[in-house]
Amino acid sequence: QKEVEQNSGPLSVPEGAIASLNCTYSDRGSQSFFWYRQYSGKSPELIMFIYSNGDKEDGRFTAQLNKASQYVSLLIRDSQPSDSATYLCAGTGTYKYIFGTGTRLKVLA
Amino acid sequence: DAGVTQSPTHLIKTRGQQVTLRCSPKSGHDTVSWYQQALGQGPQFIFQYYEEEERQRGNFPDRFSGHQFPNYSSELNVNALLLGDSALYLCASSFWGLAGGLNTGELFFGEGSRLTVL
């Protein structure tokens, strides 16, 4: 069983819509969760992290964490073509960060 | 403030050769982790260095080894290269002391070293 699972996509949304990206994890000991954006051929860049149950908002991005359901999500409001990328979800283990395979998002102009 | 720097950015090797990749962490960071990212996959944890010691290792063979220097920079060595070692190798740094030692610190990635094994 993969420790962090994501739908590989692609997830296609029209420009201006809300994109919803989801992630589930198996290790209940994971303390924090991170969302990274990765453009093709580039390295991952941190969008935001969350470690408490509930919602955390940062500009157009909202991360949601539900530890009881072992579920993390990222909402992107007013999606732009420049948001087209692969979004990686990561949870923390004892020392390492465990990444999912990523969800490819395509925002259609 | 310099971020995480890696070298070389691209390299081509043949099977059986050895490669060394280098990483300088972000200023103020003391922990370096190495990840392998194959095409279409998420980063896979290779190992982490803290206080010049390998603190944790992922599911990678002994052909993969590393080192951390007193200035916190790090090297990743891969011996006896296989075709399957072709990937983007990412170095990431963090500060372990953040949040009282809990592993909640942000991980910052370098641009990566793209290795092609022929």
Side-chain angles (χ1 to χ4, degrees):
Chain A
Q1 181 188 6
K2 291 184 180 178
E3 296 180 66
V4 175
E5 294 207 46
Q6 296 181 256
N7 187 318
S8 60
L11 171 66
S12 295
V13 300
E15 183 175 358
I18 296 175
S20 177
L21 304 161
N22 305 313
C23 169
T24 58
Y25 63 95
S26 59
D27 183 2
R28 287 193 175 273
S30 293
Q31 298 169 337
S32 302
F33 299 88
F34 298 78
W35 283 99
Y36 285 83
R37 177 174 62 198
Q38 186 173 28
Y39 293 111
S40 181
K42 300 294 185 181
S43 64
E45 54 180 330
L46 182 67
I47 298 174
M48 61 190 306
F49 66 91
I50 186 168
Y51 53 83
S52 298
N53 272 327
D55 296 359
K56 180 181 178 182
E57 188 174 315
D58 184 359
R60 295 188 296 116
F61 300 95
T62 298
Q64 299 174 316
L65 174 59
N66 184 324
K67 291 188 177 181
S69 300
Q70 296 177 247
Y71 178 87
V72 192
S73 66
L74 179 70
L75 301 178
I76 306 175
R77 288 181 298 282
D78 188 24
S79 296
Q80 300 298 310
S82 58
D83 293 327
S84 297
T86 295
Y87 289 79
L88 297 164
C89 171
T92 55
T94 305
Y95 297 116
K96 65 185 180 183
Y97 293 69
I98 304 160
F99 286 83
T101 55
T103 297
R104 192 155 61 96
L105 173 66
K106 299 174 80 171
V107 180
L108 308 172
Chain B
D1 179 23
V4 181
T5 59
Q6 291 187 244
S7 65
T9 54
H10 294 82
L11 67 167
I12 299 173
K13 294 285 186 177
T14 57
R15 281 179 298 174
Q17 284 189 311
Q18 177 264 343
V19 68
T20 297
L21 308 178
R22 296 176 177 83
C23 171
S24 292
K26 181 179 169 64
S27 178
H29 283 185
D30 58 5
T31 302
V32 173
S33 302
W34 287 93
Y35 288 81
Q36 179 196 66
Q37 188 176 27
L39 204 60
Q41 301 296 314
Q44 296 294 308
F45 177 75
I46 302 175
F47 41 54
Q48 183 182 86
Y49 277 85
Y50 174 70
E51 293 188 339
E52 302 179 50
E53 296 285 334
E54 182 184 292
R55 181 158 65 174
Q56 190 175 28
R57 188 180 185 90
N59 189 25
F60 280 82
D62 292 344
R63 298 186 297 109
F64 290 76
S65 63
H67 190 78
Q68 185 180 34
F69 300 94
N71 66 353
Y72 307 116
S73 67
S74 177
E75 287 182 350
L76 164 65
N77 300 291
V78 187
N79 295 322
L81 285 167
L82 303 174
L83 296 179
D85 295 332
S86 295
L88 179 66
Y89 287 85
L90 296 164
C91 171
S93 73
S94 56
F95 178 48
W96 178 249
L98 193 69
L102 294 176
N103 194 16
T104 59
E106 298 174 35
L107 203 61
F108 290 85
F109 284 91
E111 289 302 312
S113 294
R114 185 165 296 283
L115 171 65
T116 302
V117 182
L118 301 176

